Amino acid sequence: MTYWNKHYECMPREELEKLQLDRLKKTVERVYYNVPFYRQKFQEVGLVPEDIHSLDDLKKLPFTTKQELRDNYPFGMIAAPMSEIVRLHASSGTTGKPTVVAYTRSDINIWSEILARTLTCGGTTKNSVIQIAYGYGLFTGGLGIHYGAERVGASVIPISGGNTQRQLMLMEDFGTTVLACTPSYAIYLAEALEKSGRDRSKFKLKYGIFGAEPWSEKMRSRIEKSLNISAIDIYGLSEVIGPGVASECQEKKGLHIFEDHFIPEIIDPETGETLPMGEKGELVFTTITKEGFPVIRYRTRDITYLTKEPCACGRTHIRMHRVMGRTDDMLVIRGVNVFPSQIESVLLDMGETNPHYLLIVDRNGSLDELEVQVEISEAMFNDKVKGLEGLEKKIQSKILSNLGISAKIRLVEPNSIPRSEGKAKRVIDRRNI
Amino acid sequence: MIKQISLFLENKKGRLAHVCRVLGKADINIRALSIADTTDFGVLRLIVNDPRKAYDILKENGFAVSITNVLAIEVADIPGGLSCALDKLELAGVNVEYMYAFIGTTSQDALVIIRVENPETAIEYVEKAGIKVVQEDEIYSL
């Protein structure tokens, strides 16, 4: 069995929990004294940093939500002086404003460390040639994995996403052994490879590191078979650090959460009550080593369950089941987070008071497709086809510029989208993941 | 000015039949129609005997409907008749966005419905070009 950092990854649980408590106390102190938002929230429940005596006391701390991160745009949640911040990343936002996350030099160091562990889990060594086809830029995927791969000492190809023919050319010519990208792009690459007529036996690809969108066991076996590789699932979110929060080992029986840096909890999304180990609920994270952007009990909205059962790989860290769903209606389409409310605000901006719409997500071959059905209203309607087609194009380009995703727009008759009592059904997900 | 009823139709089975059923029940007579279609939807344009009533009925039945001013012109019902009329319109600088034939006639001439950008000003040019424009009440009662 290969580990990147056996000392921490296989630390006896008692010792690990002692370390967690020590680090938790420091983090609570850090946010209390450096982030007015946290201080105020702690004061509201009458809590001071000295009240944390055990890991169980975590329950006393208030939750942090995505909305609160947004409300404190851009730098309100940063817990270190800006002079200490060496990197900023951002994720797409519902109102045009992104969620900003910040890293100190130590945070980048930690991030590289946990990604080195992740990549080692996935089969990467210093002899590997790793092709990083996650997007580089404000998105944490590309650069996060990049630093981890350099830490391992692999030869890094920072190719970023897209340009499939060039991906295949370099994969063959450079002798890529590890591919890191979204699972749907992996399938797309496999299909393109098949079509290209290139000789698979000339490729050296052995391992895949896939994440950033939901996928299934079925999809894994398809990717593994078509690319003839061993593929692991990785988990992360920029609010916590980016990729590298958790990773499968070669046992492929759940993702080890790197608990010396993040404390996971599962809560009942309705009541906020902490659920016992093994029960399914919303995943919540507290970072315990980050300086720039620590989060306290951050609600991920991802649904899963945890297990403390020892893993055959020897790692002692808690495992999470691959993400089973969401507590909100967020969709991940081609790696892009899409909330129906974002589409709604685009439609509202077009001068409509009460837009009725339906999102239909489908997977055509290996690529996700989004169709937005919009009920035409009298105000939008006119007798010219040109005008209606122009309207479709206008909605399409607004969605593209606001959400970064291209959608097919279909105008439908008034009252043709089913109305429901209470929460409207806005999404039909036909993807069979 | 002649009032044309336009309505939005999805390209789905039975939609056109539904519109006609609604109009028939309300005693509305369709005098001329055309459909412009795309892959997903169509725009149905109608000239009826009672546009106001048709508009209300269609709206009540949940259609996206609008009223547009169009012109009805007389065209000689002989080979080259339409071509001659179109040449005159072009010379007069009147741009036709779309047009379709009318079923009834006022005399021995054929009737054509034309949609132009500014019907209020265009009507003058059309008449100056020597084309006969048929009046609203005449069309509805045909």
Side-chain angles (χ1 to χ4, degrees), chain B residues 26-83:
Chain B
D27 225 13
I28 304 276
N29 197 6
I30 301 171
R31 307 303 330 214
L33 68 82
S34 89
I35 299 177
D37 68 318
T38 68
T39 335
D40 300 329
F41 65 84
V43 177
L44 174 65
R45 298 150 184 157
L46 301 165
I47 304 294
V48 297
N49 59 341
D50 189 344
R52 200 66 243 176
K53 187 175 166 196
Y55 175 84
D56 291 341
I57 285 287
L58 290 169
K59 226 180 137 176
E60 267 168 42
N61 279 272
F63 288 98
V65 42
S66 73
I67 291 187
T68 317
N69 287 332
V70 293
L71 305 181
I73 57 167
E74 283 190 357
V75 172
D77 195 3
I78 50 165
L82 181 59
S83 157

Side-chain angles (χ1 to χ4, degrees), chain A residues 383-384, chain B residues 4 32-36 45 47 70-75 81-87 89-90 94-102 110-116 131:
Chain A
D383 65 307
K384 289 187 230 166
Chain B
Q4 170 192 270
L33 68 82
S34 89
I35 299 177
R45 298 150 184 157
I47 304 294
V70 293
L71 305 181
I73 57 167
E74 283 190 357
V75 172
L82 181 59
S83 157
C84 173
L86 287 175
D87 287 345
L89 288 175
E90 194 189 337
V94 176
N95 184 31
V96 177
E97 304 216 19
Y98 57 79
M99 61 187 290
Y100 50 100
F102 196 86
L111 285 179
V112 172
I113 303 291
I114 60 172
R115 164 77 158 103
V116 295
I131 294 173

Side-chain angles (χ1 to χ4, degrees), chain A residues 376 378 381-385 388-389 392 408 410-416, chain B residues 6-7 9-10 15 36 38 40-41 43 45 55 59 62 65 97-98 115:
Chain A
I376 191 135
E378 189 150 341
F381 177 66
N382 65 55
D383 65 307
K384 289 187 230 166
V385 168
L388 294 169
E389 285 176 338
E392 285 183 337
K408 175 185 165 31
R410 182 195 287 265
L411 296 175
V412 297
E413 286 175 29
N415 300 304
S416 62
Chain B
S6 310
L7 63 107
L9 281 184
E10 269 176 71
R15 298 311 296 158
T38 68
D40 300 329
F41 65 84
V43 177
R45 298 150 184 157
Y55 175 84
K59 226 180 137 176
V65 42
E97 304 216 19
Y98 57 79
R115 164 77 158 103

